[in-house]
Amino acid sequence: MRILIVTGTFHPEAGGPSRYLLNLATDLARAGHGVSVVTFGEPFEHAYPFAVKRISRKWPVPVRLALMAASIIPRAATADLLFVNDYGLPPAIVNLSLRKPMVMKIVGDFAWEWSVRHGHVTENIDDFQVHGHDATVSLVKGLQRFYAGQADRIITPSGYLRGIVGGWGIDSARVRVVTNAVDPAKYVFPESREAAQKALGLEGRFVVTVARLTPWKGVDALIRCVPRLPSGWKLLVVGDGPERARLEAQTQAAGLTQRVIFTGEVAQDQVPGYLRASDIFALFTGYEGLSHVLLEAQLAGLPTVATRKGGNPEVIRHGENGILVEYGDEDGLCQALVRLAGDEAVRAKLAENARRASAEFDWSRLMERTTAVFREAAFGVEGNR
């Protein structure tokens, strides 16, 4: 197949979707498919086994969208399939005339995220699905329904998100759940926690979270838990985002600058080192489709504390390979972290079970199911549901 991938983010940019798409495109190309990518981003030299067209984010948004559409047209014309990763409006508009088979992967609710970022709503994602909103938010929700409705097939990484998409009026028969996965061969972990800490200039015991710093990631709650952790334990915040300045100010006001470390944005290949340097992984998020970094933490063998939200319960079995807490229950979060910090035996049990559980999210299975959906959309060959 000749496959055009359209995405808002791609390697070397941080985040699970970028890592996923790099691995997917590379393996598709190595399997003999013709792959090309259109994405936003600045020039970057790398020997990919496929072509990448980047549109600079320095352009104003209307120009940027127009340039993306113009870049899609000639590439889509010779493609058998468009694969759109959660950036559906430009390719959906272009495809109104091209009529190419289109598969869209939806990893979240863009309308909700946009509305939160721009201060239009403060409600959680689940309430957002059923409440009425002002004209601006309603327009963004309508655009999302439009472009999702143009896809021949939609892939979601979790059953939770399949339900969200169904709430937009999308026929569930067109939606396929293909859970995210990790390929152990593509991760290089340091041999030990001590080796990882030495390489990164760290020392001590760490709770780590890896996230884009947005309001729904709950990093402020993790900071408030730090004073309750045993002496010598610190919080490692890996990632950057619009909330960073506020979170650093919170840390300073609480007198915790020696116990909370912000790394800023780090390269994708450095994330395994930060995971291996740590003792507990925490994800106190208000929603997740199905978190890539949660799977990476499992692969690294980290005991995990995560919220019972979104796709998290589809990865974490409470008390077996991690601990689930309710979103908003900060006391429950702190209690879980304190318990794990003080009980090495429990940490070891959860860590071993986490490593075993990571095998359930197998990359080869993801590739098989994803290409089955591609064939189904492009050629009418029934794929796995």
Side-chain angles (χ1 to χ4, degrees):
M1 274 186 290
R2 292 164 297 180
I3 303 168
L4 173 62
I5 297 174
V6 181
T7 174
T9 183
F10 193 70
H11 178 266
E13 294 180 341
S18 295
R19 293 192 292 278
Y20 158 78
L21 287 170
L22 173 64
N23 293 338
L24 180 76
T26 299
D27 286 1
L28 287 170
R30 288 174 177 169
H33 299 285
V35 177
S36 58
V37 177
V38 174
T39 185
F40 294 130
E42 308 313 311
F44 180 74
E45 293 298 324
H46 186 80
Y48 301 109
F50 46 83
V52 179
K53 169 64 177 177
R54 301 181 196 271
I55 295 110
S56 174
R57 290 193 178 87
K58 295 177 182 177
W59 292 104
V61 171
V63 176
R64 192 190 315 164
L65 295 176
L67 289 172
M68 173 170 270
S71 298
I72 292 170
I73 291 171
R75 293 165 175 83
T78 59
D80 297 310
L81 178 80
L82 307 184
F83 178 49
V84 180
N85 192 78
D86 218 37
Y87 205 86
L89 187 59
I93 291 174
V94 167
N95 207 39
L96 288 173
S97 59
L98 293 175
R99 298 295 180 183
K100 292 286 183 173
M102 183 165 66
V103 175
M104 190 172 294
K105 182 170 183 180
I106 293 180
V107 300
D109 185 336
F110 169 80
W112 176 75
E113 293 187 24
W114 184 91
S115 299
V116 171
R117 284 200 309 268
H118 291 83
H120 290 279
V121 302
T122 58
E123 63 193 343
N124 64 50
I125 184 174
D126 299 302
D127 291 341
F128 183 78
Q129 306 306 310
V130 297
H131 289 170
H133 298 96
D134 64 29
T136 301
V137 173
S138 297
L139 174 61
V140 177
K141 293 176 79 169
L143 290 172
Q144 181 170 248
R145 284 193 300 271
F146 158 74
Y147 66 68
Q150 300 305 302
D152 296 281
R153 294 292 182 270
I154 289 175
I155 292 174
T156 65
S158 63
Y160 168 78
L161 267 180
R162 180 176 185 167
I164 291 285
V165 171
W168 303 344
I170 305 300
D171 183 359
S172 62
R174 293 161 52 200
V175 183
R176 303 288 180 268
V177 176
V178 180
T179 55
N180 289 335
V182 288
D183 184 353
K186 293 184 172 71
Y187 288 86
V188 179
F189 291 100
E191 291 184 2
S192 66
R193 182 173 62 84
E194 292 74 20
Q197 289 195 1
K198 183 177 180 180
L200 295 169
L202 299 172
E203 184 177 0
R205 295 284 186 176
F206 289 95
V207 175
V208 63
T209 192
V210 182
R212 177 163 168 74
L213 304 183
T214 56
W216 55 87
K217 291 296 184 178
V219 177
D220 54 345
L222 291 172
I223 293 171
R224 286 190 286 272
C225 287
V226 170
R228 294 173 61 174
L229 293 173
S231 176
W233 280 77
K234 304 172 187 177
L235 174 64
L236 186 58
V237 181
V238 179
D240 207 343
E243 288 284 284
R244 182 177 174 182
R246 186 183 69 82
L247 294 169
E248 289 182 329
Q250 175 190 348
T251 299
Q252 186 170 10
L256 295 173
T257 54
Q258 300 302 309
R259 298 189 69 184
V260 180
I261 298 172
F262 292 87
T263 68
E265 186 170 335
V266 302
Q268 293 179 10
D269 59 3
Q270 290 182 326
V271 172
Y274 282 103
L275 293 175
R276 183 53 59 84
S278 302
D279 303 89
I280 300 169
F281 179 76
L283 189 66
F284 194 65
T285 180
Y287 100 106
E288 292 289 337
L290 196 141
S291 167
H292 280 93
V293 73
L294 187 56
L295 299 181
E296 292 167 354
Q298 296 271 94
L299 183 64
L302 278 181
T304 294
V305 178
T307 46
R308 200 185 303 273
K309 292 287 286 185
N312 294 346
E314 297 176 44
V315 178
I316 300 298
R317 293 185 288 271
H318 180 68
E320 182 178 336
N321 62 338
I323 296 175
L324 292 171
V325 297
E326 301 302 324
Y327 182 66
D329 182 5
E330 291 190 17
D331 186 60
L333 167 70
C334 297
Q335 286 185 29
L337 292 175
V338 170
R339 176 193 172 200
L340 286 184
D343 195 327
E344 187 172 353
V346 173
R347 293 203 308 273
K349 182 193 83 168
L350 295 180
E352 180 58 30
N353 290 341
R355 290 188 191 94
R356 293 175 181 171
S358 69
E360 300 172 19
F361 298 89
D362 178 67
W363 181 259
S364 62
R365 189 180 303 124
L366 177 149
M367 288 298 302
E368 178 183 348
R369 298 196 67 194
T370 301
T371 53
V373 177
F374 288 177
R375 289 192 299 270
E376 184 182 348
F379 308 121
V381 179
E382 186 68 14
N384 294 322
R385 291 174 185 254

